[in-house]
Amino acid sequence: MVNIIAIVFLTWAISYGAASAQPVLRDVVVIFDSEREPRNSQTQVHMRVEFPLNHLGYRLVYRDIRQGLPDAATMATAAAVLTWLQYELDDHIEYLAWLNEMSDQGIKVIILGSLGVPFVPETVRLANRIFAKMGLRFTGEFVSSVLDAKVASLDRDLMEFERALDPVPNEHALVERVGSGARIGLEYTLRFEGRERRSIVAAVGPAGGYVAHGYIVHGDATTGAARWIVNPLSFFKAALGSALFPIPDTTTVSGRRLYFSHVDGDAWNNGVQIDGYRPRRGTATPAAGSAVPGRTMYSSDIDGDAWNNVVQNGRTGEQVTASQMMLRELIEPYPDLPVTVGLVAEDTDQELGGGQRAMETARRVFALPQVEVASHTCTHPFNWDFFANYSRAAEYDLIVENQRQTKNFTTRLMEAIGFVNAAEARRTRYLVGGNHAPRAFLRDPFSIDREVTHALQITQALAPEGKRAALYLWSGNTRPFEGIIKATRQAGVRNMNGGDTRFDAQHPSLAYVAPLSRVVGGERQIYAVNSNENTYTNLWTAHFHGFRQLRETLERTELPRRLKGVNVYYHTYSAERRASLEAVRFHLDWAREAKLAPIKASEYAAIADGFFSASIAQTGELSWTISTRDGLQTLRLDQPGHLVPDLAASIGILGTNSHAGSLYIALDASAGIATLVLKRRSAVERSSFAVASLRESRWQLRHMRREACGLQFVAEGFGNGEFVFDHLPQGPLTITASRHGHVLETVRSQADTHGSLNFSLALRAFEPVDVEIRCGVKS
């Protein structure tokens, strides 16, 4: 019966939607000048503003004014134009005329800091056409004497988010209110040119919003720490309008906060510096080709430290590398936690210090069912900009210079007269430690094909049959150029890394929470969710226990609102030392007990990609269709009040869960186009399988079918299957899990008096299982 209702509703929605569906506009166009801010990723908007807008469901489209103003096609999907200018634009009259045209078309205008124009009569006139729609007047005057200014109006929902106002206000342009249309965030009274005036430095209105320079983010003069003055979440939500729409959410899967872990393979062959695994006195030097004793290669993305060193187990004489220790201590003991491991391909090259041991360890790692295969490049570039316009000659000059700086006279003389092993000399010539070289492995000329395709082929060859490399993890400064990002997409893998989100005592602001991605030309780089141990250990030089501090970021991005999922991101070199190894294990032990939904890192990248590809169309006052969403399967309603999904009328909705005032709506991945219909929550919600609703699950669900006396779905995941369903009828229930028709587990239970069913399946679901919940007890 439910399926018939769904088909009827979908038929109606398609016919109705063809005439009345309205796309939800989620693009915010950002104007910047590359002469002052060379890249979009170097703008204040990207570094500070993009994340709050992502959280509210918006995608940013950057437009360099040097390339001309945005065309009609770009603006057709735009909800707003946003600027944060600390300079004047050259063609300011043309720019203001265009901005007026956009405002006249109903596109919001959000101005942070300067308007980007000189204060002359013509610009003031054009600016006021925009400001008037916000309920403001741009006077063209500038307030520099602020000692006697007093706060006349303060909206604490919009201002003093992370830092109180300074006792002495900042200098600012004089803006006044016109009428009553503006919501004033902060207004001062002051004396200006001999008379008392009122001056607004933050406000939102029907046509957008404005915050003066000095009232956006405060930078501490001593520590440099940034803190928001304006509340970016409240301000941008108000400035963009309060229209309700389901927000594509990248933090949650199956009603739970998502979790994933990934490893950059740096230091695969490093020696372990842990008591009991140090080399004994008199131990023979490892054979050539497996190590470079005493040579510092690199163990982090920035500074070099024994990349290919190995040591021997003090008890058994067995050589122990960081990758072996990682496998034994951080991966094998956690079959319930997925981890994506990225291999540096040339770390397996015999001539470059790798060889059979490195490859065999990789095979053992990739063979584990909880491990996802990834590439961490071929030659481990440090500075991706160098390779955007690559010159082998320039790189060779750096190689020669490095050799000159690192070799003393005696070494050079020994090489000249042939007293140094030729293979050893060649290897050390093309292995570089430190950030003075553009990459770690320099033997072969750089090429995009070798860096991507060849790296993936080498990595794939070490994985078991049927297991493919699914992710490409950026190395070094994690700022890849457009062509190489395109190559990963053409190779059929996701890409990720960069961002370095931290929100802790040293980074005490939402301003340090990175956005979802970085746009590079026509391509997109997905950022990691959290920073790795490198930033906690002073670039792997001290405080090797420092990665434990990640927990603070995880807590601050969960409450008072969920801002990010959980990402335990580290390098192989964390297994070198006891303190760093225990820091990683500290997070893994917590994650296996926490209420999380573990997924693969490539699945997170697909979720993030889906945030940008998702198309949302409003088909009624409280109904929407959501399509082209890639891996994204969660929507979010902030402060939904009494609104809940109408499961009988919706399509592709698994259920809902509430957290910190937001409603998380889980979608069924098998529904290419999901339909969300909201209704007001009734005083007494009926319970039946027809409206059975998933509250949360550790596993991912799809192909859910609600029937008269049962519920069926396909599930897969890591660890035990933990499920909570709501709105089920009371009475005995039988839960059966099977695969290919063979019953794996049977559980008998029943819903409580509130219609909630909580049960667990103690089986492995690396491969999907079919789960059926039936009323009654089966023998």
Side-chain angles (χ1 to χ4, degrees), residues 298 301 344 376-387 437-441 446 451 472-478 481 484:
Y298 80 105
D301 286 347
V344 180
H376 189 45
T377 78
C378 184
T379 66
H380 200 285
F382 295 117
N383 179 8
W384 287 95
D385 295 331
F386 183 88
F387 301 103
R439 54 185 172 144
F441 296 96
F446 176 90
E451 206 61 47
Y472 194 90
L473 298 167
W474 303 113
S475 61
N477 63 6
T478 62
F481 54 91
I484 199 143

Side-chain angles (χ1 to χ4, degrees), residues 535-585:
T535 70
Y536 292 89
T537 57
N538 193 25
L539 305 183
W540 198 241
T541 61
H543 313 298
F544 296 106
H545 64 285
F547 192 45
R548 290 175 69 99
Q549 194 180 359
L550 168 66
R551 184 68 54 81
E552 191 176 349
T553 294
L554 300 183
E555 291 170 350
R556 290 192 182 194
T557 53
E558 173 70 348
L559 290 170
R561 60 187 67 82
R562 182 174 294 164
L563 301 173
K564 292 279 187 180
V566 174
N567 175 202
V568 177
Y569 168 22
Y570 60 100
H571 297 76
T572 308
Y573 53 73
S574 266
E576 289 180 11
R577 300 169 180 269
R578 176 66 65 189
S580 52
L581 187 148
E582 293 296 343
V584 175
R585 192 148 49 196

Side-chain angles (χ1 to χ4, degrees), residues 148-450:
D148 62 345
K150 294 182 174 59
V151 173
S153 178
L154 174 63
D155 185 334
R156 294 187 185 278
D157 185 50
L158 295 180
M159 304 299 293
E160 294 193 315
F161 179 56
E162 295 174 336
R163 190 182 189 281
L165 299 172
D166 280 333
V168 178
N170 289 286
E171 300 175 344
H172 57 271
L174 186 63
V175 174
E176 299 174 332
R177 71 171 81 196
V178 176
S180 58
R183 176 184 173 187
I184 307 301
L186 176 60
E187 182 180 29
Y188 288 103
T189 57
L190 48 82
R191 293 197 64 79
F192 184 76
E193 295 185 348
R195 64 190 180 94
E196 187 173 281
R197 302 279 292 275
R198 286 195 169 222
S199 183
I200 294 167
V201 296
V204 292
Y210 164 72
V211 184
H213 178 72
Y215 298 88
I216 309 167
V217 174
H218 177 270
D220 188 279
T222 302
T223 66
R227 288 180 173 85
W228 282 98
I229 300 171
V230 68
N231 183 329
L233 299 173
S234 297
F235 172 81
F236 288 122
K237 184 175 182 179
L240 287 160
S242 56
L244 177 71
F245 71 88
I247 297 169
D249 183 86
T250 62
T251 71
T252 304
V253 167
S254 302
R256 285 188 174 188
R257 190 183 191 188
L258 65 80
Y259 163 92
F260 71 95
S261 177
H262 71 291
V263 181
D264 290 348
D266 305 35
W268 195 260
N269 299 311
N270 264 32
V272 173
Q273 301 179 45
I274 298 175
D275 289 343
Y277 299 94
R278 295 179 181 275
R280 294 172 295 184
R281 291 183 180 275
T283 299
T285 299
S290 64
V292 186
R295 170 74 173 165
T296 58
M297 297 306 169
Y298 80 105
S299 65
S300 79
D301 286 347
I302 307 296
D303 288 326
D305 213 8
W307 173 261
N308 284 302
N309 282 10
V310 297
V311 296
Q312 295 183 335
N313 187 313
R315 291 184 291 273
T316 67
E318 178 192 13
Q319 296 176 346
V320 180
T321 62
S323 55
Q324 291 173 320
M325 184 65 79
M326 176 182 70
L327 170 63
R328 185 168 72 184
E329 299 292 331
L330 300 178
I331 298 179
E332 284 182 330
Y334 298 92
D336 50 338
L337 293 177
V339 59
T340 299
V341 179
L343 183 70
V344 180
E346 294 210 339
D347 233 0
T348 64
D349 192 307
Q350 179 84 13
E351 190 179 52
L352 297 174
Q356 289 301 315
R357 182 178 299 278
M359 289 190 286
E360 180 55 33
T361 304
R363 288 191 186 97
R364 288 179 59 195
V365 169
F366 292 154
L368 293 174
Q370 74 268 34
V371 173
E372 181 180 47
V373 180
S375 171
H376 189 45
T377 78
C378 184
T379 66
H380 200 285
F382 295 117
N383 179 8
W384 287 95
D385 295 331
F386 183 88
F387 301 103
N389 297 290
Y390 176 63
S391 166
R392 179 60 168 173
E395 184 176 55
Y396 190 77
D397 287 344
L398 291 174
I399 297 172
V400 172
E401 177 63 17
N402 176 65
Q403 296 299 303
R404 187 188 68 78
Q405 292 179 357
T406 57
K407 292 182 180 179
N408 58 30
F409 173 78
T410 303
T411 302
R412 291 198 296 272
L413 178 63
M414 296 288 280
E415 284 185 356
I417 62 179
F419 275 37
V420 174
N421 179 279
E424 176 71 8
R426 176 174 171 79
R427 178 166 55 247
T428 57
R429 181 179 183 82
Y430 293 115
L431 289 170
V432 177
N435 60 356
H436 53 274
R439 54 185 172 144
F441 296 96
L442 298 157
R443 180 188 60 192
D444 302 300
F446 176 90
S447 75
I448 290 178
D449 182 67
R450 182 172 182 80

